[in-house]
Amino acid sequence: MEPRFNPSVNTQRHQYVIDFVKTHKPKKVVDLGCNDCSLLRKLKFHRAIELLCGVDLDSASMKKKMRELAPLPTDYLQPGASPLSIELYQGSVTQKDARLRGFDLVTSIELIEHLHLDAVERFTEVLFGYMTPGTAIVSTPNVEFNPLFPRMPGFRNSDHKFEWTRAEFQSWALKACGRYGYEAEFTGVGQAVPHLHLRVGFCTQIAVFRRLSRGGGAPASSDDSGEVFSYKLLYSVSYPSLCDNNVLRGCLVSEVLYWAHQLSRKRMEDGDEGWSHTEPETEPTGDPRETSTLREYEFEESVFDGEGAPGWEDIKMTSRGQLESYRQGRYVCVPLRRVWSCCPRVRDLSGSLARLRLFIADDPLVRLSQDGFAVVLDEGIHVLFLYSLIKRLRGAESC
C-alpha cells in the first residue's frame, strides 16, 4: 500500500528545522535553495533569530512570495526584544559569498539532489570549507523508500540528478566531516509502517552536522585573502525592535495611553462617587502656586525606581498620596504610578518611573500635567485617541 503522510513530508521537514531552532536558538540562519521562501516565512516568527537569509538561483520563485517576509502590523504593536533582518540573495550554492560566512545554522532542504555530482563537490567545499557554519542541516530523498510508491516511474522529481541510498548519503556526509572538521548524526522524517521502517528507512533522510573545535579538519578555503560577493541581493527588510528608542517610545506611549483611558473609563463608569475634584475647571497646569491638589498625588519615587516590578500590595504611598484618577474640569488626570501599577509591560519596557516620564514627555500624543505626575485626558477624545494610534501604526508600517 502506498504510504500517506499526515502532515506532509515537506511539512515534517520544515518542522524538524523549526524544532531545532526552538531548542538551540541560533541568531544567524540561512536557507540554501530557499525556493518560494516557505521555510523562511515560518522561521521569521522565531525571534531568537536576528539575521535570516535565503539563497536560490531561481529569482522568480523568491519574488513570488518574498513580500510575505515583511513585518506584520502586530510586529509594530508588539516589537521583538532583539532586531531581525531578512535578506534574500540570487546565486548558486556552488559559489562563494562572504556575506554568508560564519552563520550559526545553514539549512539545505531537498537541494543537493538537484545538483550534478561534480557540483555537489563544489557545494560541499562552499558549505563546510568556506561558510563554516556552527551547524548545518542537510536533507535529501532516500531512494530505498521509493519502491513504496508503486506509481513512481523513476526519481521523485524530473529535475533530480541522483537519489542516494542511506549508505551513499552517510558516506558523503562522513567524508565531509573528516575533511572539514565536523561530526554528523543521521535521522529523517516520513516513516513507513513499522514492519517496513527498518528495511527502507525514512522517506527523507537528514544529516545534522556540527562543527568541531578549531584544529580539526581541513583549513578554510585558500582564497580567503579577498572577500567574494557573487550573489545579487534581491530583498532586504528590518523588523522593528525595542533596541530602537523610537520603537520603544511608541510602544510605551501606546501602552500608557491605553491604560490611562481604560482607568479613566472605569472611574467614569463608577459614577461621581469617589472622584476627586479640583478648581479651577480648566486644564491643569501643575503649578503649586495655583493649586496644591497635584502635590497630593505624589509618591515615594524610590518605590518604583528599584529593581523588580511591584505588585499592588507592594506599593507604599505617602499619607497624602492616592493612586486613583481625579478630575479637573472636563479633564481627567490619571497618575502615572496608577498606570505603572496596572501594567507590567510598562514596567518591563521602561525600567523605572523616571525613565518612563523621560520617554513619553515629548511625545505629541501624550499630555502630561506640568509636573509630569499624571496623564491628562479630555473626556471626549476617546475616539480621537484610537484614531491617532491607528495613524501612528500605519505610519510605522509604511516606513
Side-chain angles (χ1 to χ4, degrees):
M1 179 180 293
E2 184 171 336
R4 297 180 182 273
F5 299 104
N6 186 19
S8 69
V9 178
N10 186 58
T11 298
Q12 292 183 49
R13 288 191 288 259
H14 287 182
Q15 191 59 49
Y16 184 90
V17 174
I18 290 168
D19 291 341
F20 185 93
V21 168
K22 286 180 179 178
T23 300
H24 298 280
K25 296 179 170 51
K27 291 186 177 181
K28 298 173 64 179
V29 178
V30 57
D31 183 30
L32 302 180
C34 64
N35 196 261
D36 65 353
C37 309
S38 56
L39 178 56
L40 299 178
R41 296 199 306 270
K42 297 172 184 177
L43 290 176
K44 74 171 189 170
F45 294 103
H46 298 273
R47 293 303 297 269
I49 300 174
E50 296 181 2
L51 177 58
L52 182 60
C53 296
V55 178
D56 204 286
L57 191 59
D58 185 358
S59 61
S61 295
M62 288 188 284
K63 288 179 179 178
K64 286 179 182 178
K65 296 288 187 178
M66 67 184 186
R67 298 297 172 187
E68 295 182 19
L69 295 169
L72 300 171
T74 52
D75 293 310
Y76 291 97
L77 288 171
Q78 297 287 337
S82 58
L84 168 62
S85 295
I86 299 179
E87 298 172 355
L88 295 181
Y89 295 95
Q90 179 189 16
S92 170
V93 296
T94 63
Q95 294 178 307
K96 300 171 183 178
D97 192 293
R99 290 167 289 189
L100 299 183
R101 301 194 69 187
F103 274 55
D104 300 310
L105 173 64
V106 172
T107 60
S108 171
I109 307 302
E110 306 299 278
L111 167 67
I112 58 175
E113 65 274 8
H114 294 271
L115 306 175
H116 291 286
L117 289 176
D118 58 340
V120 172
E121 289 299 315
R122 295 195 299 274
F123 165 78
T124 305
E125 180 188 355
V126 169
L127 174 58
F128 299 111
Y130 184 77
M131 294 176 66
T132 62
T135 304
I137 298 175
V138 179
S139 81
T140 193
N142 169 22
V143 73
E144 295 172 76
F145 199 95
N146 288 0
L148 299 185
F149 300 109
R151 289 173 289 182
M152 185 181 297
F155 290 155
R156 297 183 195 178
N157 186 296
S158 59
D159 188 57
H160 287 185
K161 307 304 187 291
F162 64 88
E163 289 179 358
W164 276 335
T165 65
R166 286 173 287 176
E168 289 170 329
F169 180 54
Q170 291 178 21
S171 175
W172 166 80
L174 294 175
K175 181 180 177 182
C177 287
R179 182 175 181 184
Y180 297 106
Y182 282 78
E183 62 181 3
E185 62 180 73
F186 301 96
T187 182
V189 295
Q191 283 188 274
V193 292
H195 71 278
L196 290 175
H197 179 67
L198 287 178
R199 181 162 62 88
V200 301
F202 291 100
C203 181
T204 290
Q205 49 189 336
I206 295 174
V208 180
F209 299 85
R210 292 182 173 84
R211 185 159 55 93
L212 300 173
S213 59
R214 296 178 185 274
S221 183
S222 58
D223 61 354
D224 290 348
S225 56
E227 291 189 334
V228 180
F229 301 98
S230 59
Y231 296 162
K232 177 183 177 181
L233 179 64
L234 289 182
Y235 180 74
S236 178
V237 65
S238 294
Y239 276 56
S241 80
L242 297 175
C243 296
D244 184 329
N245 278 343
N246 290 327
V247 174
L248 177 58
R249 179 180 290 108
C251 288
L252 277 171
V253 166
S254 298
E255 293 285 349
V256 167
L257 288 179
Y258 171 79
W259 281 99
H261 278 268
Q262 289 293 97
L263 294 167
S264 169
R265 186 183 296 274
K266 183 178 184 303
R267 290 291 284 170
M268 286 189 284
E269 290 172 353
D270 290 341
D272 288 337
E273 290 187 11
W275 276 105
S276 297
H277 295 269
T278 62
E279 297 293 342
E281 293 191 355
T282 58
E283 180 177 349
T285 65
D287 190 335
R289 294 174 296 180
E290 297 179 10
T291 173
S292 62
T293 306
L294 292 180
R295 302 261 61 89
E296 297 177 6
Y297 305 100
E298 294 183 17
F299 298 82
E300 296 175 1
E301 183 79 19
S302 60
V303 175
F304 298 92
D305 287 347
E307 293 288 335
W312 175 262
E313 67 278 1
D314 298 322
I315 296 173
K316 301 175 182 178
M317 296 176 288
T318 63
S319 59
R320 294 181 299 169
Q322 69 177 48
L323 283 172
E324 297 301 335
S325 306
Y326 57 95
R327 275 184 179 156
Q328 283 197 331
R330 67 186 180 91
Y331 296 98
V332 176
C333 301
V334 182
L336 274 177
R337 289 181 174 85
R338 177 61 165 146
V339 175
W340 179 280
S341 70
C342 292
C343 184
R345 182 163 170 77
V346 169
R347 299 196 295 266
D348 292 341
L349 290 174
S350 60
S352 73
L353 191 57
R355 195 162 177 258
L356 172 61
R357 287 199 195 101
L358 181 65
F359 265 108
I360 68 174
D362 297 327
D363 194 279
L365 288 181
V366 179
R367 180 185 298 176
L368 292 179
S369 57
Q370 198 168 44
D371 60 6
F373 286 109
V375 181
V376 180
L377 305 174
D378 188 319
E379 290 184 9
I381 63 167
H382 291 284
V383 175
L384 181 60
F385 156 68
L386 293 174
Y387 171 79
S388 299
L389 287 184
I390 292 171
K391 186 176 179 181
R392 163 176 280 187
L393 173 59
R394 287 177 176 170
E397 195 175 349
S398 64
C399 292

